[in-house]
Amino acid sequence: MGQLSNRTIAVLSDSGFEETELTSPVERLKEEGATVHIISSKAGKIKAMKGDNEWTIDVDVDKTISEAKAENYHGLLIPGGVLNPDSLRKNDEAIAFVKDFFKAGKPVAAICHGPQVLITAEVVSGRKMTSTKTIKIDLQNAGAEWYDEEVVIDQGLVTSRSPKDLPAFNDKIVEKFAESIHEGQHS
């Protein structure tokens, strides 16, 4: 049995996610025994990107955001990519879903552009975070303390910069999802 046996993790994504920022963490979570559900705005499949302009694989959606409830999950993962977070930020149900994880003190992980969703959910003020450099100013303007490190942990919040940081990111999300509730995580 892995560290995450008896844990169910939500992966919140729409089409346009960076392929490895979803596939690599999901593979690691499953290796550790977690049940992983892909949650998206629409049923069916979502499409990955590699870089900013190459569409790649399709990933099956397990539940729509309207069907999913944070109370049924032990943690939340938000992959990056340029298009994915931008799509999620416009979806009030997605933002409410994210906020529910913070209200419950559950661990949340976001990589690359994924923290943009956290900005819209208004849960970054006073938090130590990292991201792709292109949204550094956005995070700082929302009140986050930004660090140029491969992975930054603030209570139950795990953030990372890019696909090159996935090994460290994957290790830390396993650790935090195994811990479960983080009192300092509350928004």
Side-chain angles (χ1 to χ4, degrees), residues 23-110:
T23 58
S24 175
V26 165
E27 180 180 315
R28 179 66 187 281
L29 293 169
K30 288 180 176 180
E31 285 173 2
E32 293 292 340
T35 299
V36 179
H37 290 165
I38 306 298
I39 313 294
S40 190
S41 300
K42 297 176 185 145
K45 295 181 182 290
I46 53 176
K47 194 159 202 63
M49 288 196 92
K50 195 174 282 186
D52 293 335
N53 59 6
E54 182 186 342
W55 291 100
T56 61
I57 64 170
D58 289 329
V59 173
D60 291 326
V61 171
D62 296 302
K63 292 182 184 249
T64 63
I65 296 166
S66 60
E67 296 170 328
K69 297 195 180 329
E71 65 195 41
N72 296 326
Y73 296 94
H74 296 95
L76 173 65
L77 169 66
I78 305 170
V82 175
L83 300 177
N84 170 45
D86 197 47
S87 175
L88 292 170
R89 295 176 87 178
K90 298 180 230 174
N91 184 319
D92 291 339
E93 285 183 311
I95 298 306
F97 187 66
V98 170
K99 285 182 176 184
D100 286 345
F101 280 87
F102 281 85
K103 287 177 190 167
K106 294 180 179 184
V108 174

Side-chain angles (χ1 to χ4, degrees), residues 101-107 127 154-157 179-187:
F101 280 87
F102 281 85
K103 287 177 190 167
K106 294 180 179 184
R127 305 304 293 264
D154 185 321
Q155 297 290 328
L157 177 61
E179 292 173 3
S180 202
I181 303 298
H182 294 265
E183 291 305 320
Q185 180 73 317
H186 298 289
S187 59

